[in-house]
Amino acid sequence: MQEHVAGAATEPGVVACSVYADGKRIADITIEEAGAWRDRPGHVAWIGLFEPSPDLLNRVQKQFNLHPLAIEDAGQAHQRPKLEQYGEALFIVARTAQMLNGRIAFGETHLFVGKGYVISVRHGASASYTTVRRHLESCPVALSHGEDYILYAILDFIVDNYSPVLEEINREVEGIEDSIFDNSLQLGAVDRLYMLRRELVRLRNAAGPLLDVCQRLEHADVLPIDPPMLPRFRDVTDHVRRIKEEIDTLREVLAFAFEASIMVTQMTQNEITKRLTAWAAILAVPTIVAGIYGMNFKNMPELDWELGYFVALAGMLAVSVGLYFWFRRLRWL
Amino acid sequence: MQEHVAGAATEPGVVACSVYADGKRIADITIEEAGAWRDRPGHVAWIGLFEPSPDLLNRVQKQFNLHPLAIEDAGQAHQRPKLEQYGEALFIVARTAQMLNGRIAFGETHLFVGKGYVISVRHGASASYTTVRRHLESCPVALSHGEDYILYAILDFIVDNYSPVLEEINREVEGIEDSIFDNSLQLGAVDRLYMLRRELVRLRNAAGPLLDVCQRLEHADVLPIDPPMLPRFRDVTDHVRRIKEEIDTLREVLAFAFEASIMVTQMTQNEITKRLTAWAAILAVPTIVAGIYGMNFKNMPELDWELGYFVALAGMLAVSVGLYFWFRRLRWL
Amino acid sequence: MQEHVAGAATEPGVVACSVYADGKRIADITIEEAGAWRDRPGHVAWIGLFEPSPDLLNRVQKQFNLHPLAIEDAGQAHQRPKLEQYGEALFIVARTAQMLNGRIAFGETHLFVGKGYVISVRHGASASYTTVRRHLESCPVALSHGEDYILYAILDFIVDNYSPVLEEINREVEGIEDSIFDNSLQLGAVDRLYMLRRELVRLRNAAGPLLDVCQRLEHADVLPIDPPMLPRFRDVTDHVRRIKEEIDTLREVLAFAFEASIMVTQMTQNEITKRLTAWAAILAVPTIVAGIYGMNFKNMPELDWELGYFVALAGMLAVSVGLYFWFRRLRWL
Amino acid sequence: MQEHVAGAATEPGVVACSVYADGKRIADITIEEAGAWRDRPGHVAWIGLFEPSPDLLNRVQKQFNLHPLAIEDAGQAHQRPKLEQYGEALFIVARTAQMLNGRIAFGETHLFVGKGYVISVRHGASASYTTVRRHLESCPVALSHGEDYILYAILDFIVDNYSPVLEEINREVEGIEDSIFDNSLQLGAVDRLYMLRRELVRLRNAAGPLLDVCQRLEHADVLPIDPPMLPRFRDVTDHVRRIKEEIDTLREVLAFAFEASIMVTQMTQNEITKRLTAWAAILAVPTIVAGIYGMNFKNMPELDWELGYFVALAGMLAVSVGLYFWFRRLRWL
Amino acid sequence: MQEHVAGAATEPGVVACSVYADGKRIADITIEEAGAWRDRPGHVAWIGLFEPSPDLLNRVQKQFNLHPLAIEDAGQAHQRPKLEQYGEALFIVARTAQMLNGRIAFGETHLFVGKGYVISVRHGASASYTTVRRHLESCPVALSHGEDYILYAILDFIVDNYSPVLEEINREVEGIEDSIFDNSLQLGAVDRLYMLRRELVRLRNAAGPLLDVCQRLEHADVLPIDPPMLPRFRDVTDHVRRIKEEIDTLREVLAFAFEASIMVTQMTQNEITKRLTAWAAILAVPTIVAGIYGMNFKNMPELDWELGYFVALAGMLAVSVGLYFWFRRLRWL
């Protein structure tokens, strides 16, 4: 996966690396300068990394004195969403989701947050936080809240990005629902229903543990969060809860859709068998009559009747037509 | 969605805006006067808004000094039901439900409650609280309890409005049940069962979190509720719990109905196939006999018998009739 | 629903109204005398009401100074089982169940218990507590424990009455089970299984919350219960727990029975289709042979053979019989 | 149910009644002597009863001063497993299970344990504790721990006896699994699967609450247990937990087996229908050809060809054989 | 099961027995020397046993003064994963899993950890900890943390070994999924799906309780763990949680796959029956026409027409071809 590196950062793996004070970007810096800047009161270093090399991570670690275990985790993807506190620093793992070619592409973001710095490390498919950065730079009042606000903005952005995924799945499910009930369900749609169920399980695994993360941030049992920021994190928690509820709803709906399609397929089977039975009955009569008058007995009086043939034909037709309408009335045809 | 604005309020988005004291309406006021009135002891300002503009919300905020995050939430629908406390004020989100054209139409009500004021903000399909207002104005004793009683009355009204929805679903399910067991289930009914299941999931999502809201109000861990009002809120909690129980029961019943319809469809399939098999057997005999006597062998003694044809016909008939009654005894026909 | 009013009480809605002291009934009284009696130490007024009028309830309220909200609840059925404490008085709602014409008829009992009085208010189908009263009057030692023992006796009676309902359902399910596995399942039995599942959901809703009620009584977190009575209430709790376990077991068994009947119906379908296929194969051979020798080619040597016809007949028979036994060996017939 | 009474006890209902000191049996006594013996320090009276009469229970009660409610419970079966403490005595109800004729036979054991005595009361099908007694008498060191060790030994014995039941069910399920996947599933096996599911629900109800009993014994929140014995009870708890886990696993496996058998039955249905369709197609061709050349048109040139008949036969055969191999390639045959 | 014994240990049942100090192996010792070594400060004895004899276990017990109940447990397999504390020593049971010939082979490891020693006892199929030992010996810094680090390394190794099992199951499930949706599902695959579901239940039982074990180690409520090691154990806990999540996901996916295969099988049944019905209809027409012109009526004008035969043939063909294309348009063929 390629990454378009924005901002002044020119090093591979570094998406952006700037220092903010009073809500304004005051410098684009290198990793090695970051430690010095963050020690100045009121200054926040915000560094964005994308799939960094172990070497780059080690250089970052030295600047901010991060815990080795957290750095170890940050170097590899496939973590469960979690929040861990090492001394005065927070380490947060979140999973991101995007819809790519009809499948959910998952990515991971690892965040280090401490007094005077926010470091985001992205792995895999995930939207760049350049959008968040630009948005924050455009409202200095918000940004002047410092690292807590940046953390909030990133988490909010991650959670916001789940919504389009759910909307796309929802739209697709509605399409399949229609095809179930107008009896045009194809094997491909069942396959798709199945895939969506699988994807939703993975999505729930990605979003579910994030609720714990947000709740812990909200309840201020972790160190560096400013009390006035807590309602913001409560908002994110609410948002995650809503996302989770939607995932669970969709999962239930998909299960219902599966059951409904089994039901409808079975009703169709009944319809077909009824039709088969009806036509077999309708066609049996002329077959039998024709068979009877095809026998070679010497003495078969009807055969010599002038109109025998026509009477027989008319009889066959009459019985068949009669049966046909009888089956129609039974709704077998 | 249109809204018929009642009362003296003439501003768009404002349904009603009055001041009450000692259980009586003493004035219809404008938004800008509200702040002054609510500071007078014993006076309560009750404002009803419907899908207000951001500008209107801001004007309301200034009068009552509401928290910006709550105002942000109130400006948009699609919140989860919740109760939040900002300083001395409560912010409550509840979801309302009504049956419209066979589907549940959901609405949202956001409530701001504080010393001397109740503000309701409605979004989407929901019954106007004009009914509540009229009812309260007609019993001044109750209304004289102030803002807590108004809050109770509005919540009670919201919960009460779930009942007709459940009753209508219940009635419909009973109709479908009958059609399952008298074997007249149509595809449309399965579609309907499916839709009802979906709707119930959404209804549970709307009503379920309300239980938490009411329980927190009941347990007085939130600021402005008067202790003598607590049993009232306990009553509402009980009511929500009953609604939730009914939703869960209906959900189970719908699942049973689905299973039952699968079962009955399969039994029907058995019936049809039995019938097909029985008729195939009955008709096979005359077909074979006719085929045999239609062969062109030189030496077929029966063909020359005077009564051969009639004996053959009688034999065919006898075997067929015999089989028919045999299958009847087996209950295949 | 009619109610045969027992005892000395002659007022409509009042089933019984007596005063007890030292385990003996010392007077049958009117509502208006009750308040005075209950104030005498060692005296207990026990009043039984059946669907009382609002006016009657108000008169009772005045005598015992009951909470208006509890009286409001007692005047109408469809409450959830609950225990509420108002000052020194307990208000308990319980749901009763009886089997009537193959359906569970639910009733409600509301109990007011306080120092010196027990008031029971019954709604809908429920056994009269006259039995309990007679039983207690016959063992004065027990009755002399006062209002707690009466409360215990009534709750125990309510819980006891669930057992015959469960036994009847159990018996019916066993009958249906037999018909599933001897392949005589009728549509009516499926309908019945379905109804029983519905009823059990309602029964669980009625009995389940009673467990909370009993547990709170047992754990003495409510005021007026005598410590030596606590083991009695523990016994009732155990009993409710056993009832709940039986309900859950029955619900599981019914779900299994549904699944089993789907399974058996499908196996039957297989049997029928196998039989259809086998008979179609057996009968196809004579049909084809007869067709062949019914062709009108000039040169068909077999037709001129003296024994051609008999050889053909024998051949048809031989192949058919051979196929028949082959299918038997395959267990398709 | 009959019971072979062992030991010196000759009274009906009394299985054994002995006194132990220092790990050795020092006397076989009568019920009336028991109270005196248990007061001597270091002596333990161990009494085993089987379905005792109310009178016998009352005599036991007097000797050990047991609580009347516990005695009431002990006189009747159908209690839920539980642990209750009356003063310094423990009353424990446990359910036992044994496999008898392919069904689980449940029994009940009620235990009274206090300073200086253990009384076991058995109801219904359950292994006699004579085995436990003999085993303990053979290791005096263990027995010298007194009543706690006896209680432990009995509970351990009860839990141990669940294992053969589970093993037998497991063995049977494995047999049925094989028959599912080699397509030889019979109706009887489905019936058996169904019965096993029912039995397992009952077994879980019997074993599940025992976990609570053991956990309470282990956590020493009940009076008379010696701290050094606690790890023993922790072992029993572990054992019950393992039994419960096995029951849950078996329940899941049985549910899977049910689903699998539905799946396999449906695949079989497909196979049969494919075969039916294939043979119908193969046989249709000769039937039609024979029908065509059986028509009586004057001018049918093929009929006069010298080899017409043989060509027709060969054609029929060729098409049928061709179709046969075509269907084989499609795996329909 | 055979075990290749590594290291200097030559006694059967002893895989390795060494003493470490400052992160370096300083001696390979015998069991009888172990007790003396572990008393020296800064020395750790690490003993690896494989299915030891009771005698060997007793000798180990004497050296380290282990609790008899723990030794009893260690002597036999089939324990549930658990952590128990005896005095200053920990006893841990963990279950290991490996994929062998398409089934999960489970083993057990019992660990004794105390001041100055780690003893691992392996039962059944499990990877030898020689790998762990070699890895630790190659990084003396880690090993110098002592017994806590060794415990961590062993647990981490056990949990790591679950991953390949899950990956293999995942791979297999994906193969079966493909065969479901390209309609080539064989009975063998259903059998395999079933087996995998069973295995996963067992795997969950093995891995699930390990979470409790790790959480207790992480939360330092057990004695001998060094606080600086806690984040390490938190990492293992996270890992177990992820494994559990994957197991649950796989279980859900397998359940979906079962449902999907039922659904697809049913759709296939519909396809086949539609095809059967269509071909029966197409072939019925020529059969009937041939039957009619095979009748022996004297007066059948068409029979005498010069082109009658050819017209009849053309008519049959036309109708059949017409029906064929009609059914194609209906997608029945």
Side-chain angles (χ1 to χ4, degrees), chain E residues 189-264:
Chain E
V190 179
D191 192 353
R192 194 68 196 137
L193 270 183
Y194 176 79
M195 290 314 298
L196 290 174
R197 284 180 95 173
R198 285 200 69 157
E199 296 289 290
L200 276 171
V201 175
R202 292 168 69 207
L203 189 60
R204 192 201 45 187
N205 287 348
L210 203 54
L211 191 59
D212 291 335
V213 171
C214 292
Q215 274 174 330
R216 289 188 55 199
L217 286 171
E218 168 193 341
H219 288 110
D221 66 343
V222 290
L223 274 187
I225 303 294
D226 251 3
M229 281 303 295
L230 296 183
R232 292 271 163 205
F233 287 105
R234 199 159 65 185
D235 247 42
V236 181
T237 311
D238 256 18
H239 201 165
V240 179
R241 205 175 273 130
R242 214 158 62 235
I243 292 288
K244 240 187 112 181
E245 203 170 273
E246 277 173 47
I247 293 173
D248 287 339
T249 301
L250 265 174
R251 279 165 48 82
E252 281 198 66
V253 166
L254 277 168
F256 296 167
F258 237 88
E259 267 191 71
S261 61
I262 286 182
M263 175 69 211
V264 170

Side-chain angles (χ1 to χ4, degrees), chain A residues 190-204:
Chain A
V190 179
D191 192 352
R192 194 67 195 138
L193 270 183
Y194 176 80
M195 289 313 298
L196 290 175
R197 285 181 95 173
R198 283 200 71 156
E199 296 288 291
L200 276 171
V201 174
R202 292 168 69 206
L203 188 61
R204 192 201 46 188

Side-chain angles (χ1 to χ4, degrees), chain D residues 170 173-174 177 181 183 231-232 234-235 238 241-242 245 249 252-253 256-257 259-260 262-264 266-267 269-270 273-274 276-277 280 284 288 291-302 332, chain E residues 69 73 78 80 82 84-86 185-187 190-191 194 197-198 201 204-205 251 258 261-262 265-266 268-269 272 275-276 283 286-287 290 293-296 302-304 306 308-310 312-313 316:
Chain D
N170 209 32
V173 171
E174 279 172 5
E177 278 170 4
F181 290 107
N183 237 320
R232 292 272 163 204
R234 197 159 65 185
D235 247 43
D238 256 17
R241 204 175 274 130
R242 214 157 63 234
E245 203 171 274
T249 302
E252 280 197 64
V253 166
F256 296 167
E259 266 191 71
I262 286 182
M263 176 69 211
V264 170
Q266 202 163 53
M267 289 181 83
Q269 176 72 11
N270 276 13
T273 317
K274 278 178 178 170
L276 171 61
T277 305
I288 288 181
I292 287 171
Y293 292 112
M295 294 194 295
N296 297 320
F297 286 101
K298 282 275 144 55
N299 180 19
M300 289 174 68
E302 299 94 318
W332 282 42
Chain E
L69 265 177
D73 280 357
H78 303 299
R80 264 186 106 241
K82 62 179 175 186
E84 277 174 23
Q85 195 167 355
Y86 296 99
L185 190 70
Q186 298 294 313
L187 191 57
V190 179
D191 192 353
Y194 176 79
R197 284 180 95 173
R198 285 200 69 157
V201 175
R204 192 201 45 187
N205 287 348
R251 279 165 48 82
F258 237 88
S261 61
I262 286 182
T265 311
Q266 203 164 51
T268 310
Q269 176 71 11
I272 302 168
R275 210 165 288 186
L276 172 62
L283 297 177
T287 307
Y293 291 112
M295 294 196 293
N296 297 320
E302 300 95 315
L303 297 184
D304 300 321
E306 189 65 23
Y309 171 52
F310 304 102
L313 275 188
M316 289 176 192

